[in-house]
Each structure stands twice: as structure tokens, then as C-alpha cells.
Amino acid sequence: LYTAPDSCEGRCGEPFSEEDECHCHPECQGHRNCCEDYERHCGPDGFSSSRDSITDQELLELSEQLYRLDHNKARPSDVAINPQHLAGPDETGDEQDRSPQPLYKYVNEELFSKPTYASFIKLLDNYQRATGREEEVTAEELREQDRFLEEVMKTELMRRLLAFLRGKNRYGSEQEFVEDLKEMWFGLYSRGDGEQDSSGFEHVFSGEVKKGKVSGFHNWIRFYLLEKQGVVNYFSHNFNGPWDTYPDVLGLQFSWDGFYKEVGSAFIGCSPEFEFGLYSLCFLARPGRACHLSLGGHHLSVQTYPWTKSTYGGGRSFIATAYVMSP
């Protein structure tokens, strides 16, 4: 289902990694382990060039810039969490609630009136969480998708990301970028029974239930709103990031209407555009592999996977999942 990319599109000249199933650096020809389309993309007349590849160092630098540009993030006084029990490796899967109190002690809900938050929250009730059930997308829901993309693109953070990607010849215009974001995140595909039942946005931000377990569900705002309604029950955490301001990172265990999430992860206190932008960057730069970033001087990784069973736009991949990795 999730596989490393087997194409050199956008990967020419990138450093060798054992995680890759095929390679796109110049030495791959000597080692006979190039991807099949190496010549088409990376040859002298190819579509890509080494100057358009995104280096590890550029990812570290750009992620620090995006971190500084998250002007809509929560201030330390806006969010108070109560992580309680730190679960050991042998405790994460046993479905025991070891934290009697909710995770969120306080959230300043004035945050949610900011345009990117408000348009993001409107999207969360657009989905059937059970896989195998067809998603019916209404005209109103399509407008809500457009509104969210419109609002995030007004932010300095997303303008910086677009400028970087245009500099790498990934997109020729803002319109092209926005249209691609809409497809990769909101385009529907089938996780079960052939129904158009899922999308990257639903999986990552809203959450799904598949085979009796919570799947995806990596967003702190969604978690807070459902915990407040009493349908999410926080059990424990297995990782708490080193950040003393927001965004921070938490690895956590919880149940959603009785369905269990053994090890989830989430940025805490970031704006919707920060998470959306960072995951989009990693999906474009390192699909199917760990994307190594730096936030406020602390290193972390984001893992994304492309959906491999269907494509859009002449072979482009939908997002299957994206999440911050907790060690």
C-alpha cells in the first residue's frame, strides 16, 4: 500500500539513501540501480535537473523559516495541556486509560476565529470516518475547500513555501500550486471496497476508522474539539517534544468513540497552515521517506506516503498519509 517512490521526478541529484528502492544520483548508472525513468528526468535533456533537486540542507533551512513564519500559532498562554502518564513501549498497545484527566486543560478559542483556523474547522465535519463508505462531496464542501486554500495562501508562511517551490521549478504559478494542493489533499480515492471513501486531508487531519482502529487523525485542533465533546478519551503519551513554546510535538494514545489509536502523533499549538505547508513540502520533496527538518534548533522528521493504487493529472500521487515522527 505505502511504497517508496519508484520515479526520479523531482529527485535528480539527491543524495543516496538506502531507504530508496531506486536511485536518481549520477552514480546510480554505474551501480545499475537507477529508477526506470532516470534518463527521462535526469539525462542531459531530462525534465528535471540537479539544480532543481531539494537538498537535505535546504529542507533544514526552509523548515526553520516556516517555523519562524507561523504567525498564527498558539502563544504559550493560549494552550495548556496535561500529558499525565508517560507510556513505555510495552504499554502503548494495551488500551489502558492511564490518564484520568483530559489532555487539554485550556485552549483560548479566540484562535479559532482566525481565518485559517475558521476555514480549517469547517472542513472537519465533511467526512464519513468509516472506510468503505462513499464520500459525497457537496458544492458547499467544495467551496469550503477553496476557502481554506485561499486563506492559507494569504499567509506569509505559505507564500514562502510557494516561492521556494517555484525556485525549484516545481510550479509555474500560484494557481498551478493551489490546484495541485487541492488534488493531492482533497482528491478522493478508495481505501476499501472500491468506494471513493478517502482523501489525504480526511485521513491526516480529520481521522478515519478502518478495521476497528483509528487511522490517521494527527491534528491537535480536531483532537481538542472532539475531546471537549466527550467522544475522544486521552489515555497516555509516549513522547513529548523538547520545545518549550508552540508548536510542540506529542506522541499519544487515545480512543475515539471506543476505537483505539495505539501510537498517534501531532504538532500541538501550530496553525493549520504550518502543518498543511510542512506536510506538503515533505510530500513533494521526500515522498515515501523520512523528511528531516529543524524547528527552533531541534531536529525532527516528517514521514509521508503516496497513495499507490490511483493517480491524478497524468501520474501524480495523492497523499496517503503524513505525520510527524516521534522517536
Side-chain angles (χ1 to χ4, degrees):
L1 179 61
Y2 297 150
T3 59
D6 56 3
S7 167
C8 281
E9 183 180 0
R11 294 176 55 204
C12 301
E14 72 176 16
F16 172 80
S17 169
E18 288 182 0
E19 296 173 26
D20 298 338
E21 60 182 54
C22 62
H23 304 279
C24 306
H25 53 85
E27 294 78 42
C28 72
Q29 290 178 300
H31 295 299
R32 301 188 175 215
N33 58 7
C34 298
C35 298
E36 284 184 17
D37 60 3
Y38 174 81
E39 204 54 47
R40 185 160 70 93
H41 285 291
C42 309
D45 305 315
F47 296 121
S48 309
S49 67
S50 59
R51 72 173 180 275
D52 294 337
S53 67
I54 297 173
T55 68
D56 290 349
Q57 185 60 34
E58 284 172 326
L59 284 173
L60 295 175
E61 290 169 4
L62 180 60
S63 55
E64 284 288 4
Q65 291 170 17
L66 300 181
Y67 179 75
R68 289 194 296 272
L69 291 173
D70 190 11
H71 303 312
N72 286 327
K73 68 184 177 188
R75 297 164 308 205
S77 60
D78 287 329
V79 177
I81 62 171
N82 182 16
Q84 300 165 83
H85 185 77
L86 177 62
D90 56 336
E91 294 177 325
T92 58
D94 64 10
E95 302 189 28
Q96 295 296 309
D97 182 358
R98 295 183 167 87
S99 301
Q101 303 299 317
L103 174 60
Y104 286 92
K105 287 198 287 193
Y106 170 75
V107 171
N108 176 8
E109 294 193 9
E110 287 181 16
L111 279 173
F112 301 161
S113 63
K114 294 186 178 196
T116 57
Y117 285 81
S119 57
F120 173 80
I121 289 168
K122 273 195 161 39
L123 294 167
L124 296 175
D125 64 358
N126 290 354
Y127 299 102
Q128 301 256 16
R129 69 179 179 188
T131 57
R133 292 178 64 182
E134 182 98 15
E135 292 291 345
E136 293 178 19
V137 184
T138 67
E140 176 65 21
E141 288 171 355
L142 289 172
R143 282 193 293 272
E144 289 174 356
Q145 293 172 11
D146 290 337
R147 179 70 191 277
F148 172 69
L149 291 168
E150 190 182 306
E151 292 299 344
V152 297
M153 287 310 301
K154 291 176 185 173
T155 65
E156 203 178 340
L157 185 156
M158 289 296 286
R159 315 286 312 168
R160 176 70 195 98
L161 176 59
L162 172 59
F164 175 82
L165 293 170
R166 287 191 69 173
K168 293 291 181 181
N169 291 315
R170 300 300 173 96
Y171 299 99
S173 66
E174 179 177 342
Q175 181 183 357
E176 186 188 341
F177 180 47
V178 170
E179 286 173 359
D180 198 37
L181 286 174
K182 188 169 184 179
E183 284 292 340
M184 74 171 77
W185 278 107
F186 294 103
L188 293 174
Y189 49 81
S190 174
R191 280 188 200 263
D193 303 328
E195 305 287 352
Q196 297 292 90
D197 62 348
S198 188
S199 68
F201 187 92
E202 177 187 6
H203 181 85
V204 172
F205 293 103
S206 184
E208 298 180 293
V209 171
K210 184 172 183 181
K211 295 181 179 172
K213 291 195 172 178
V214 175
S215 181
F217 196 144
H218 297 287
N219 179 255
W220 76 273
I221 299 166
R222 173 71 162 163
F223 190 102
Y224 165 74
L225 292 171
L226 291 182
E227 186 178 62
K228 186 181 169 187
Q229 291 172 27
V231 293
V232 158
N233 181 18
Y234 170 72
F235 280 21
S236 57
H237 71 288
N238 61 299
F239 173 77
N240 193 349
W243 293 269
D244 52 14
T245 58
Y246 296 116
D248 199 351
V249 176
L250 198 69
L252 66 165
Q253 292 70 50
F254 61 93
S255 73
W256 178 17
D257 267 346
F259 299 104
Y260 189 58
K261 180 76 175 181
E262 183 173 329
V263 180
S265 62
F267 286 107
I268 308 290
C270 66
S271 69
E273 61 267 26
F274 175 83
E275 208 170 356
F276 189 73
L278 214 61
Y279 289 158
S280 299
L281 167 65
C282 284
F283 183 68
L284 292 165
R286 301 286 185 269
R289 288 165 296 148
C291 176
H292 302 299
L293 310 173
S294 179
L295 305 179
H298 297 290
H299 284 235
L300 82 166
S301 300
V302 162
Q303 178 74 47
T304 66
Y305 286 105
W307 184 254
T308 59
K309 294 183 177 179
S310 55
T311 58
Y312 70 91
R316 293 190 178 196
S317 296
F318 299 107
I319 290 176
T321 193
Y323 53 89
V324 56
M325 288 199 283
S326 51

